[in-house]
Amino acid sequence: MRKNKKKALMFGLYTRKLVFFSLVLVFTFSVLEASKSIKSYKADDYSSFRGSSAGNISQKIEMAKNGDIVVDGKISKNKIDLLKDYDELRLLVLEKPGKYINSLEVTLSLPDAIASQIEAEVITQHGVGSSQYRISGDNVITYEASNIAATGEVTIVTKIPKGVIEPPFIRTVVKFINDIKHSFWLLTAIVIPGLTLFCLLAILVFQYKRQRIDIPEKEIDAPPMAIPPAVVGALFKQKVGAREIAASLIDLAKRGDIYIVDRERGFVFGKGKFDQRLLGFEKILLSKIFSSAISSDRKDIEQRINQHLYSKKMSLLTVGIYLLATRLGYFKANPFKMHFKYRMFGVLLFLASFAGFVLSLYIFKDPPYAVFFWIGAMIASLIISFTANNMPIRTPIGQEVLSNWLAFKKYLSNPMPIQYDEANPELFQKYLPYAVVLECEAAWAKRFSEHNFIIPDWFVTDKGGLGLDDFCLTLYPIVSYVGKSFAAIREPGFE
């Protein structure tokens, strides 16, 4: 049984991530392989002369109209370099043969009868006796070298007038990009992310103005409606985080579904009544805490957290809260799906920019200034991804409801002390979950500082004489720790 569960964990929970990262690796590998092919016009390989040990060697090379170089009937990876005033073939035809070479002859056939217009040169080094070139016909040039040492190198250079070579369109585009001044590319690295940031900020400002929440002047002394604290937090921040989980724990304890036990060296959660009114996301939270046991201490929770890097259950908990808020009409669409679209656009843009970055390194001459364009695009993609969760998507109903909750927040955070009411002695704990998600739990507790505090039935401790401040200093770290720990193990993108 344990073995099957582990297998499900490996192949069930993370299948999508496994497929995604596999596709990323395949994509990156494909880009690298494609870039090697595109880069082939550079002289990074040599002819079949390399390592030859013959006394007299000769070679026939043909130059095609499109710039291809054919050696002994095979197309070479070497291509003609497209320069500003002329096109050039620079080919290392012999490199350290390992033995003495008496003579070398290379016959180059040109695509047109332009031999008389050609500027040619033979570059030798590391022990070559003599070298020369001669015109052997209207479209033929012969390069010669003699008395070549075992360490000798021979390079032939052919400068061709513009217009003779008609390169493919892609090479023309590459040349055009390569000739653009580096200052332009440096500028794009600044302008693209700057323009992206400006546009996103403009969109955010527009959306916030459009969805402006009216700050209420008057406070209300009761929750405007009976909805779970986690949903209130999602409406308030448009995110589900550690506070929403912590508030849900307090709410479940207040309702009698769990008990929170404070120990000298840790804490324990105990099962309560577990009634049928539990919502879907609350059931997920409780199953994460207890599994099949009736109690769970800090060690048990940490063990469940450390079992895997990400938790499917906690991701589903986030989705459950968003779905409930969306069904209540507070959001135009599920916030997770909307934010995911923005983030996915940023991810795809980053991958495309990274691919362009890699291709630029392989395609363009050193230094490949075009990479700055892709660096700017990658920065822009990161800006999009990081701002995705801040895009406001509340509906008019959601704006009105949030305004009512802000009026309730004014009541929770009012600095005036609350008089003790015998008819409602549990007022503090009753609204505490809402104070947590509305980020005013300290102010709410301060309003009860003059009360004789009674520890709630759902909080068990052996510390005697525990006042309100001590209670808060004991409870908050427990639920905060669990909330932060659970929020941190959600799958990427589930915020």
Side-chain angles (χ1 to χ4, degrees):
M1 188 70 180
R2 190 179 185 89
K3 184 177 180 181
N4 293 336
K5 183 177 180 181
K6 185 175 182 181
K7 185 176 180 180
L9 178 67
M10 184 179 299
F11 296 102
L13 296 183
Y14 308 120
T15 301
R16 287 181 297 175
K17 281 193 286 297
L18 178 62
V19 172
F20 174 76
F21 287 114
S22 298
L23 289 175
V24 170
L25 290 175
V26 171
F27 174 79
T28 304
F29 178 77
S30 300
V31 168
L32 292 173
E33 290 299 313
S35 63
K36 291 179 182 178
S37 299
I38 296 176
K39 189 190 175 186
S40 62
Y41 69 88
K42 288 188 176 182
D44 56 359
D45 65 327
Y46 314 111
S47 70
S48 59
F49 291 149
R50 181 187 297 176
S52 174
S53 58
N56 300 284
I57 54 179
S58 62
Q59 188 75 32
K60 291 184 178 180
I61 301 176
E62 298 179 15
M63 182 186 299
K65 190 73 174 177
N66 64 355
D68 287 343
I69 303 300
V70 181
V71 179
D72 289 337
K74 296 181 180 179
I75 298 179
S76 171
K77 290 184 178 180
N78 297 283
K79 304 290 181 182
I80 293 177
D81 199 1
L82 306 177
L83 303 179
K84 183 177 181 181
D85 299 323
Y86 55 86
D87 299 328
E88 181 183 84
L89 172 63
R90 183 177 293 265
L91 188 63
L92 179 62
V93 294
L94 186 64
E95 180 190 25
K96 300 177 181 178
K99 291 186 178 182
Y100 175 82
I101 302 297
N102 183 43
S103 66
L104 165 67
E105 181 182 271
V106 179
T107 302
L108 174 63
S109 297
L110 304 170
D112 294 325
I114 55 169
S116 60
Q117 306 174 40
I118 293 297
E119 293 184 30
E121 183 181 3
V122 182
I123 300 175
T124 61
Q125 56 184 350
H126 304 314
V128 179
S130 62
S131 63
Q132 64 176 357
Y133 76 91
R134 55 186 171 83
I135 298 175
S136 306
D138 293 339
N139 66 332
V140 179
I141 297 180
T142 302
Y143 299 85
E144 297 174 336
S146 59
N147 300 323
I148 303 170
T151 58
E153 294 183 0
V154 179
T155 302
I156 63 172
V157 180
T158 309
K159 297 180 180 179
I160 307 141
K162 280 292 184 182
V164 176
I165 301 300
E166 299 176 0
F169 176 75
I170 183 64
R171 290 199 59 208
T172 304
V173 172
V174 169
K175 179 184 181 303
F176 172 79
I177 296 175
N178 198 63
D179 290 343
I180 297 177
K181 292 184 178 180
H182 68 277
S183 57
F184 170 82
W185 297 118
L186 288 172
L187 184 63
T188 61
I190 300 173
V191 170
I192 291 177
L195 186 62
T196 302
L197 180 61
F198 173 79
C199 292
L200 285 174
L201 288 176
I203 294 173
L204 286 172
V205 170
F206 172 76
Q207 290 292 342
Y208 275 115
K209 286 183 177 180
R210 186 180 179 183
Q211 300 188 22
R212 183 177 58 187
I213 307 300
D214 295 328
I215 305 299
E217 296 181 0
K218 296 182 179 181
E219 63 183 40
I220 57 176
D221 60 0
M225 57 198 65
I227 58 176
V231 175
V232 177
L235 177 62
F236 178 54
K237 297 180 295 184
Q238 297 190 114
K239 297 179 182 178
V240 175
R243 282 183 174 270
E244 285 64 44
I245 298 174
S248 296
L249 290 172
I250 298 175
D251 188 49
L252 288 167
K254 180 176 64 69
R255 286 153 45 189
D257 293 299
I258 63 172
Y259 295 96
I260 301 176
V261 182
D262 171 46
R263 286 182 174 176
E264 185 176 352
R265 295 184 179 180
F267 57 84
V268 178
F269 287 101
K271 282 186 178 181
K273 59 184 178 181
F274 270 38
D275 60 32
Q276 299 300 317
R277 294 173 298 170
L278 289 173
L279 298 171
F281 73 89
E282 293 173 335
K283 293 178 181 178
I284 293 174
L285 178 59
L286 292 175
S287 69
K288 185 66 178 177
I289 293 176
F290 293 107
S291 185
S292 59
I294 61 173
S295 65
S296 179
D297 59 16
R298 177 169 182 162
K299 184 177 180 181
D300 295 330
I301 292 175
E302 288 179 346
Q303 185 177 5
R304 293 190 184 97
I305 292 173
N306 295 330
Q307 279 180 347
H308 38 68
L309 186 60
Y310 299 117
S311 171
K312 185 73 171 180
K313 283 187 177 180
M314 299 316 300
S315 303
L316 292 175
L317 179 142
T318 301
V319 172
I321 296 173
Y322 280 142
L323 281 175
L324 183 54
T326 305
R327 288 172 182 170
L328 292 171
Y330 299 156
F331 297 114
K332 297 177 182 178
N334 189 316
F336 165 71
K337 292 183 178 179
M338 290 294 293
H339 295 158
F340 178 78
K341 289 180 181 179
Y342 286 105
R343 282 195 302 272
M344 184 54 64
F345 176 76
V347 170
L348 293 176
L349 177 59
F350 181 86
L351 291 176
S353 303
F354 179 75
F357 176 85
V358 175
L359 288 173
S360 296
L361 291 177
Y362 277 81
I363 293 175
F364 301 111
K365 291 182 176 180
D366 295 331
Y369 292 114
V371 298
F372 289 109
F373 172 84
W374 300 111
I375 291 174
M378 283 191 284
I379 296 174
S381 68
L382 293 177
I383 293 174
I384 293 173
S385 297
F386 286 125
T387 57
N389 288 341
N390 297 316
M391 196 64 66
I393 54 174
R394 298 185 190 94
T395 63
I397 295 176
Q399 297 173 50
E400 182 180 353
V401 170
L402 179 57
S403 180
N404 294 332
W405 280 102
L406 292 178
F408 180 56
K409 180 183 179 182
K410 291 191 71 172
Y411 165 73
L412 296 175
S413 56
N414 191 319
M416 296 295 294
I418 291 178
Q419 298 298 321
Y420 181 76
D421 184 2
E422 292 183 359
N424 194 8
E426 298 179 349
L427 182 62
F428 170 72
Q429 58 171 303
K430 182 178 180 181
Y431 296 155
L432 180 57
Y434 294 112
V436 170
V437 295
L438 293 173
E439 301 178 352
C440 57
E441 67 274 12
W444 175 240
K446 192 174 181 180
R447 300 196 68 181
F448 295 84
S449 58
E450 298 178 3
H451 289 204
N452 291 323
F453 180 72
I454 300 176
I455 299 176
D457 294 337
W458 49 265
F459 187 79
V460 181
T461 181
D462 56 2
K463 297 176 182 176
L466 205 64
L468 177 60
D469 290 341
D470 296 326
F471 169 76
C472 293
L473 290 174
T474 304
L475 173 66
Y476 291 167
I478 295 174
V479 295
S480 176
Y481 169 78
V482 177
K484 290 179 179 178
S485 299
F486 281 172
I489 60 175
R490 291 176 297 181
E491 294 175 307
F494 286 84
E495 290 85 17

